[in-house]
Amino acid sequence: MFIEGGFYNARVISPSGVYDYGHGISAVDSVYDRREQTAIHLLVEDGRAAVIDTGTSNAVPHVLAALEAKGIAPAQVDYVILTHVHLDHAGGAGQLMARFPNARLTVHPRGARHIIDPSRLRAATIAIYGEAETRRVYGEILPVPRERVVETPEGATLRLAGRELLFLDAPGHARHHVVVRDSITGHFFAGDTFGISYRELDQDGRQYAFPTTSPSQFDPPRLHQSIDRMIGFGPEALYVAHFGRLTNLTVLAADLHRIIDAHAALGERHRRAGAERKRLLMEGVRSLVLDESARHGWRLPREKTLEIFALDIELNAQGIESWLDSEGKQE
Ligand SMILES: [Zn+2]
């Protein structure tokens, strides 16, 4: 059964949490921290499928149910495509690959070793969240056998039942980030490179975008460049992991550029704030969120808006700190 699902051109199909965008493209809600926070995208062409980003291990049942509802058996999945190896995008890769006997996993060359041996990703996550919380949020993170991993450097292409996908190197959010252009639609799968955009804040059909600068490889000039590269292709739509399909992209890109500059300026302002720096950066990012709320006329109460952005405010502040600390050290 198809149900019209709101003003952003998505149709919600059974099972709930699957958003069909047409052209064989859909999103599956990974139900990461809350609903409509993190999407896993599916691309289906002529009975073959690609899963683009995986969510965490906890999202595996949602992906399998969505594929089943589309009549796609696990053996018909040809690719698991990772935009980058942050665990909310890649944590479930090992478990999904174990269920897809014919699939290969594609990843940026800088991310491949972390997928083959996820111990460093896991340790880095435990360092931030602790052991118990890491297990609760991410489940068991399985390695992917090396022979099933395909690296996708700048300019790489692959075919899904004849439908060509082009990979572009897209640093700025992370140095292990690719964006993927679909030849049929010209749309991009942008991962985290085009920011975050939660649907509950859309206003009368108008979308917004806010950069995600999470640690530890936020790089403002490169993020500007990666956004402009996608926009240079003139896509009508792109798909972000947080959350789903975005249109009116030149307007959103201008917003992203402005807010990225504001993040960089915030970092510069508090560069030498010592022990107070973390707190001042958190307050600064919170103010940037509230500035956007006023600019867009978001109707949600201020407390609800801050609740929706709570994790991003913390991660963006941490990412600004990483950027300040790493300047001059980046390769
Ligand atoms: Zn990320």
Side-chain angles (χ1 to χ4, degrees):
M1 183 178 68
F2 285 79
I3 306 163
E4 283 296 317
F7 37 67
Y8 51 97
N9 304 325
R11 287 183 300 177
V12 182
I13 62 166
S14 182
S16 67
V18 180
Y19 304 78
D20 196 339
Y21 301 120
H23 308 290
I25 299 169
S26 55
V28 181
D29 191 340
S30 85
V31 198
Y32 175 55
D33 201 25
R34 59 170 202 279
R35 288 209 171 265
E36 295 199 348
Q37 187 202 40
T38 301
I40 296 153
H41 287 98
L42 305 181
L43 182 60
V44 176
E45 177 75 15
D46 198 19
R48 310 304 302 181
V51 177
I52 301 167
D53 287 336
T54 68
T56 70
S57 298
N58 298 333
V60 168
H62 303 300
V63 177
L64 297 177
L67 288 169
E68 190 179 349
K70 292 179 180 302
I72 300 291
Q76 291 170 272
V77 178
D78 286 343
Y79 297 103
V80 170
I81 293 170
L82 300 181
T83 61
H84 64 305
V85 300
H86 287 163
L87 283 180
D88 53 328
H89 298 253
Q95 294 217 15
L96 275 183
M97 287 297 287
R99 286 167 171 82
F100 300 150
N102 299 319
R104 284 178 289 167
L105 178 136
T106 78
V107 61
H108 190 287
R110 287 179 181 273
R113 68 193 170 104
H114 298 299
I115 292 303
I116 293 163
D117 174 8
S119 58
R120 269 188 56 183
L121 285 181
R122 193 162 182 283
T125 309
I126 288 172
I128 297 171
Y129 297 106
E131 175 97 42
E133 184 68 359
T134 297
R135 176 157 285 278
R136 185 187 72 78
V137 175
Y138 296 102
E140 194 183 357
I141 302 164
L142 296 182
V144 178
R146 182 183 301 271
E147 61 274 15
R148 300 184 70 189
V149 174
V150 178
E151 294 186 2
T152 49
E154 165 70 24
T157 58
L158 61 77
R159 287 183 172 276
L160 179 73
R163 185 169 182 163
E164 187 175 273
L165 301 177
L166 168 67
F167 292 78
L168 302 180
D169 186 26
H173 173 77
R175 293 203 299 272
H176 45 83
H177 207 304
V178 295
V179 294
V180 185
R181 183 174 185 271
D182 167 35
S183 63
I184 298 270
T185 58
H187 298 175
F188 275 91
F189 297 95
D192 281 348
T193 296
F194 207 79
I196 54 182
S197 181
Y198 302 120
R199 299 279 63 85
E200 61 256 63
L201 290 163
D202 286 344
Q203 198 71 57
D204 303 325
R206 272 181 296 114
Q207 299 179 317
Y208 68 94
F210 193 89
T212 164
T213 70
S214 47
S216 60
Q217 297 176 341
F218 170 47
D219 183 330
R222 284 178 169 163
L223 190 51
H224 284 305
Q225 285 170 9
S226 292
I227 291 165
D228 282 342
R229 268 197 93 189
M230 284 191 282
I231 294 299
F233 282 81
E236 279 183 11
L238 55 74
Y239 305 89
V240 295
H242 316 283
F243 182 99
R245 182 183 203 259
L246 301 184
T247 56
N248 202 14
L249 299 178
T250 51
V251 169
L252 299 189
D255 284 346
L256 285 172
H257 287 313
R258 172 175 53 77
I259 309 169
I260 291 164
D261 285 341
H263 277 68
L266 177 66
E268 293 298 350
R269 193 152 64 243
H270 298 307
R271 177 183 286 280
R272 277 173 264 284
E276 285 293 282
R277 193 171 68 171
K278 175 78 193 294
R279 184 182 61 77
L280 291 167
L281 291 174
M282 288 263 295
E283 278 176 16
V285 176
R286 188 181 295 120
S287 294
L288 294 177
V289 168
L290 293 174
D291 289 350
E292 292 310 296
S293 177
R295 172 183 286 264
H296 294 286
W298 292 339
R299 293 193 196 103
L300 284 182
R302 170 193 161 99
E303 287 314 309
K304 181 68 184 165
T305 299
L306 290 175
E307 188 185 315
I308 288 169
F309 275 91
L311 181 61
D312 296 297
I313 289 168
E314 176 151 10
L315 290 174
N316 278 21
Q318 285 178 12
I320 294 169
E321 284 215 287
S322 300
W323 167 61
L324 293 173
D325 291 341
S326 70
E327 266 185 311
K329 289 187 222 158
Q330 302 225 350
E331 294 159 53

